[in-house]
Amino acid sequence: MIADVLAGATERMKKAVDNTKEDFSSIRTGRANPGLFQKILVDYYGTPTPLSQLAGLQNPEARTMLITPYDKGALRDIEQAIRDTPNLGANPSNDGNVIRVTLPELTEERRKEYVKIVRTKAEDGKVSLRNIRRKAKDELDALKSEVGDDEVARAEKELEQITKSHVDGIDDALKRKEVELLEI
């Protein structure tokens, strides 16, 4: 029973760390990459649809993305969704077949702003880890009558170690992203 609670908590924490890292990839650095466009939702015939399902993404140059829609009728909607995306700062151009997105050079001020955003996303990830830990701890406390106080105390220590390792994973990813953002 205790092993099931710990395994479930570990699984949920791993997903929380992966989700946080995915959020980090949506914050731009000096280079263009398809990860920046993963979270963009396009209003496609009234339905919010991820851009990656509507178009092919290519990276021909360091700061340029080439977006080729599968349906040419979605060109304007894709262009509008990119233009409306906050924290991207891109101005897409449409030639009738493809959309070219040239990302502007990042200023020092903008880089520091992105670092703040990344730190906020990291803190959100840590909050979700703490929520998972609290829920697992409540589940362990409910098992006290069945398995005994010593076993629950041992499991809580193990839960703390699991939580710490996942928090460290978020911190490591945060440090890497900060270095990447501040790199010129």
Side-chain angles (χ1 to χ4, degrees):
M1 290 180 273
I2 288 176
D4 293 341
V5 170
L6 292 176
T10 302
E11 181 69 27
R12 290 191 306 271
M13 285 184 186
K14 183 178 180 335
K15 287 180 182 175
V17 170
D18 291 344
N19 190 29
T20 302
K21 288 179 181 178
E22 186 179 308
D23 283 348
F24 286 173
S25 73
S26 69
I27 307 271
R28 71 172 281 222
T29 57
R31 297 174 288 286
N33 69 345
L36 295 173
F37 298 88
Q38 292 301 323
K39 299 258 182 180
I40 295 178
L41 294 177
V42 179
D43 184 29
Y44 185 62
Y45 294 109
T47 306
T49 309
L51 177 61
S52 58
Q53 293 179 10
L54 294 175
L57 303 171
Q58 296 174 325
N59 190 356
E61 297 170 15
R63 288 186 11 237
T64 304
M65 284 299 297
L66 196 62
I67 301 169
T68 310
Y70 303 132
D71 175 10
K72 301 294 184 215
L75 268 170
R76 292 202 191 295
D77 295 332
I78 292 171
E79 189 177 5
Q80 189 62 41
I82 292 169
R83 191 173 285 119
D84 293 345
T85 301
N87 301 323
L88 194 57
N91 194 13
S93 63
N94 170 357
D95 72 357
N97 292 320
V98 296
I99 298 171
R100 286 189 195 287
V101 181
T102 303
L103 299 174
E105 195 67 43
L106 287 178
T107 63
E108 187 68 26
E109 180 181 316
R110 193 77 169 139
R111 289 176 190 273
K112 289 179 181 175
E113 191 177 310
Y114 283 147
V115 168
K116 287 179 188 174
I117 292 170
V118 169
R119 286 182 181 160
T120 301
K121 289 185 182 290
E123 190 55 41
D124 291 345
K126 290 178 189 177
V127 167
S128 66
L129 289 177
R130 289 191 289 269
N131 288 338
I132 293 167
R133 178 188 65 196
R134 184 176 355 97
K135 186 176 179 195
K137 190 172 179 330
D138 291 344
E139 291 173 16
L140 289 173
D141 288 342
L143 294 175
K144 269 188 184 177
S145 62
E146 295 177 35
V147 295
D149 292 345
D150 291 344
E151 289 297 318
V152 170
R154 209 171 292 122
E156 285 177 356
K157 286 181 184 175
E158 190 175 336
L159 180 63
E160 287 301 317
Q161 290 173 342
I162 291 168
T163 304
K164 184 180 180 334
S165 71
H166 286 87
V167 167
D168 290 345
I170 288 178
D171 286 339
D172 291 343
L174 173 64
K175 286 177 189 167
R176 283 194 303 273
K177 189 65 176 183
E178 283 180 346
V179 166
E180 191 178 321
L181 281 168
L182 295 174
E183 174 185 297
I184 296 176

